[in-house]
């Protein structure tokens, strides 16, 4: 499957070059050799250090990453700006390097539960850091999500996402019995006790802080959605979902009323054709025109005009695929994402420990929610938020952090699929054995 995924990316790359330049690039063999070598090394590393890991996740991620590189290169050719593809290729290599490092250092995912509160503090620090920095060091396109270091910039929130998921998983494993206790009954739903509302209120306040001080709707929605989803998975109580939805609706209304950037996003979503913000409205309108132009089967790679869409390589790369691959191609990409999320949830069901279950479910939920928010935004189902499409969009922070998430998911799947008799002896198991030891008298 990994060879097949790599070949699809290489064939798509060659197709773009033939259509736009009339010939196969002379350096295609080098690119092909490099990609095949990286894919082979990554595969062998996974088979050696996590031999029971899920065999489907890595090919799916390679396929998405490869298609993203192809579309970024295709748009670079149209705009005569060649810097995007090499930089994204470098970020891909860094992402794979971090993927290998995570698999190497995290031999047992349960070790991460020892750093629950450290991860939470570090995640909140990374999340809040852009908000306290001057605009000149943290603001791009109106959102304060970045840290600029000379010519380089990165988005700490992408790595904060990983850390807060480790915190959520560790915290909810420890507190889920308390959070599962029922309070008053309203109609057919058992509400949680009032004194247990603190965690969800704190997560709501932090997400609102991200929205107000960093002026980013997507990160705020993703952070709160991950917490409420993991809280529901941990407690299996629908009332937490209801409370989360009510808090989200209330927060969204307050944000629309008091935050200009959110109001602009909603106005553009409701009436893009009548809006005076030509850049924002033009992005939505050109994206919709792109989908319409692509129709059912698309114009073909290299034969559309995705370069007309503002930020087509980042925010609107899914619309670029919708134009050139059509509805069929866009749905195929969504199926690949669905496969990644489904395999992640399957890992969450199969793994034996509670921390691993919640962490795998949280990672899968985060990827699925992010894809829904991005695709919903570009198809005008919901307001546009500015999140990136995982593994497809241009952007180093998102790509590298998502590779780390997949590495953790593979590590958990290795533990889930490992036969019981080959399970590594470790401290928790020795304790469990000691507790059930039979002593002859």
């Amino acid at each position: 499957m990994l060879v097949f995924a790599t070949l699809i990316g290489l064939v798509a790359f060659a197709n773009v070059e033939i259509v736009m330049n009339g010939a196969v690039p002379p350096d295609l063999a080098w690119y092909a050799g490099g990609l095949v070598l990286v894919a082979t090394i990554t595969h062998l590393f996974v088979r050696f250090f996590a031999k029971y890991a899920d065999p489907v996740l890595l090919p799916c991620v390679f396929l998405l990453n490869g298609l993203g590189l192809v579309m970024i290169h295709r748009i670079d050719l149209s705009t005569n700006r060649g810097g995007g593809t090499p930089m994204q290729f470098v970020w891909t290599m860094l992402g794979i390097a971090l993927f290998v490092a995570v698999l190497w250092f995290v031999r047992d995912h349960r070790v991460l539960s020892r750093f629950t509160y450290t991860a939470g503090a570090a995640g909140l620090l990374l999340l809040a850091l852009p908000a306290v920095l001057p605009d000149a060091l943290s603001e791009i396109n109106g959102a304060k999500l970045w840290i600029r270091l000379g010519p380089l910039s990165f988005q700490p929130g992408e790595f904060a996402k990983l850390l807060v998921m480790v915190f959520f998983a560790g915290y909810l494993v420890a507190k889920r019995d308390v959070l599962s206790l029922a309070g008053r009954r309203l109609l057919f739903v058992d509400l949680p006790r009032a004194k247990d509302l603190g965690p969800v209120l704190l997560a709501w306040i932090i997400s609102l802080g991200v929205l107000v001080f960093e002026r980013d709707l997507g990160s705020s929605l993703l952070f709160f959605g991950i917490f409420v989803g993991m809280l529901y998975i941990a407690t299996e109580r629908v009332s937490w979902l209801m409370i989360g939805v009510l808090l989200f609706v209330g927060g969204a209304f307050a944000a629309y009323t008091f935050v200009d950037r959110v109001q602009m996003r909603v106005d553009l979503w409701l009436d893009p054709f009548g809006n005076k913000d030509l850049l924002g409205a033009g992005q939505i309108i050109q994206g919709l025109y792109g989908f319409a132009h692509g129709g059912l089967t698309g114009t073909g790679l290299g034969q559309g005009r995705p370069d007309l869409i503002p930020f087509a390589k980042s925010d609107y790369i899914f619309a670029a695929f919708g134009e050139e691959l059509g509805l069929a191609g866009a749905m195929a990409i969504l199926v690949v994402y669905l496969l990644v999320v489904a395999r992640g949830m399957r890992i969450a069901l199969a793994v034996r420990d509670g921390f691993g279950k919640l962490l795998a479910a949280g990672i899968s939920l985060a990827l699925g929610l992010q894809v829904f928010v991005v695709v919903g935004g570009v198809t005008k189902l919901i307001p546009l938020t500015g999140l990136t499409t995982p593994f497809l969009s241009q952007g180093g922070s998102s790509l590298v952090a998502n590779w780390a998430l997949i590495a953790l998911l593979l590590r958990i799947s290795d533990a889930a699929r490992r036969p019981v008799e080959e399970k590594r002896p470790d401290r928790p198991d020795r304790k469990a054995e000691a507790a059930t030891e039979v002593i002859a008298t």
Side-chain angles (χ1 to χ4, degrees):
M1 282 192 288
L2 190 58
V3 171
F4 186 60
T6 307
L7 281 177
I8 290 177
L10 290 173
V11 170
F13 182 81
N15 181 74
V16 165
E17 285 286 344
I18 292 171
V19 170
M20 302 196 71
N21 293 330
V24 175
D27 51 358
L28 178 62
W30 288 102
Y31 284 119
L35 281 176
V36 170
L37 180 63
V38 169
T40 304
I41 292 174
T42 309
H43 172 74
L44 291 176
F45 189 88
V46 171
R47 288 306 108 197
F48 190 76
F49 288 101
K51 61 181 180 181
Y52 296 105
D54 188 288
V56 178
L57 284 174
L58 191 59
C60 288
V61 171
F62 255 94
L63 176 60
L64 292 170
N65 200 158
L67 289 177
L69 278 168
V70 169
M71 183 52 72
I72 292 168
H73 177 62
R74 180 257 173 276
I75 297 172
D76 277 347
L77 291 177
S78 291
T79 56
N80 293 320
R81 297 176 183 172
T85 313
M87 201 63 219
Q88 188 71 1
F89 188 77
V90 170
W91 286 121
T92 299
M93 294 299 109
L94 288 176
I96 293 175
L98 183 60
F99 169 88
V100 169
V102 170
L103 277 181
W104 172 265
F105 286 108
V106 184
R107 299 298 180 92
D108 186 341
H109 64 274
R110 291 172 295 178
V111 172
L112 297 176
S113 65
R114 300 174 188 170
F115 305 100
T116 295
Y117 290 96
T118 305
L124 287 178
L125 178 66
L126 288 177
L127 203 60
L129 197 54
V132 299
L133 291 176
D135 290 352
L137 296 178
S138 62
E139 183 176 332
I140 295 179
N141 298 323
K144 286 171 64 69
L145 295 172
W146 301 83
I147 294 178
R148 291 179 174 175
L149 299 172
L152 299 177
S153 61
F154 72 100
Q155 200 172 346
E158 291 291 342
F159 298 95
K161 182 173 64 178
L162 189 155
L163 292 170
V164 296
M165 278 192 284
V166 171
F167 167 69
F168 288 160
Y171 174 80
L172 291 172
V173 164
K175 302 293 184 183
R176 61 181 169 187
D177 290 339
V178 175
L179 295 172
S180 300
L181 294 176
R184 294 183 177 178
R185 188 175 182 82
L186 178 64
L187 298 178
F188 301 102
V189 179
D190 291 324
L191 297 176
R193 299 181 303 176
K195 63 181 182 181
D196 296 330
L197 290 175
V200 71
L201 289 175
L202 182 61
W204 181 64
I205 291 170
I206 293 173
S207 67
L208 283 181
V210 172
L211 179 60
V212 172
F213 295 109
E214 299 186 357
R215 301 191 286 275
D216 184 65
L217 179 61
S219 298
S220 172
L221 173 62
L222 189 62
F223 175 82
F224 189 63
I226 291 171
F227 178 74
V228 173
M230 292 178 71
L231 181 57
Y232 169 68
I233 293 169
T235 62
E236 299 180 4
R237 285 208 170 275
V238 179
S239 54
W240 283 119
L241 278 183
M242 296 170 59
I243 292 171
V245 170
L246 288 175
L247 288 174
F248 172 75
V249 171
F253 180 75
Y256 175 74
T257 306
F258 299 109
V259 182
D260 294 341
R261 184 175 174 81
V262 175
Q263 197 170 46
M264 179 196 71
R265 292 273 191 185
V266 175
D267 291 342
L268 287 173
W269 170 57
L270 292 174
D271 186 15
F273 291 92
N275 203 288
K276 295 179 181 177
D277 182 354
L278 294 179
L279 179 60
Q283 193 180 32
I284 297 175
I285 293 169
Q286 291 295 344
L288 294 176
Y289 282 160
F291 280 115
H293 189 209
L296 186 61
T297 56
T299 60
L301 279 174
Q303 300 181 62
R305 292 302 307 273
D307 51 296
L308 295 177
I309 307 173
F311 304 107
K313 292 189 289 187
S314 52
D315 295 5
Y316 262 68
I317 197 166
F318 188 75
F321 278 108
E323 179 176 1
E324 300 212 326
L325 299 182
L327 177 64
M331 293 301 292
I333 291 174
L334 290 182
V335 167
V336 177
Y337 280 119
L338 184 62
L339 198 55
V340 172
V341 175
R343 300 295 291 197
M345 287 298 182
R346 184 175 174 180
I347 292 166
L349 287 173
V351 74
R352 301 172 184 88
D353 64 288
F355 177 78
K357 283 181 183 294
L358 279 177
L359 187 56
I363 293 172
S364 309
L365 181 66
L367 290 172
L369 184 60
Q370 188 165 345
V371 172
F372 169 76
V373 169
V374 173
V375 174
V378 300
T379 55
K380 207 173 166 294
L381 179 66
I382 59 175
L384 193 64
T385 59
L387 287 175
T388 56
T389 315
F391 299 105
L392 286 181
S393 295
Q394 184 182 37
S397 307
S398 171
L399 185 60
V400 173
N402 283 325
W403 271 105
L405 289 181
I406 292 298
L408 277 182
L409 205 51
L410 283 179
R411 174 54 69 202
I412 299 171
S413 76
D414 178 58
R417 296 160 59 92
R418 184 183 295 275
V420 176
E421 60 271 17
E422 291 192 25
K423 197 175 179 183
R424 294 191 185 96
D426 51 21
R427 187 170 298 174
D429 286 347
R430 286 202 297 271
K431 286 182 178 179
E433 289 170 6
T436 56
E437 184 179 6
V438 177
I439 301 174
T441 58

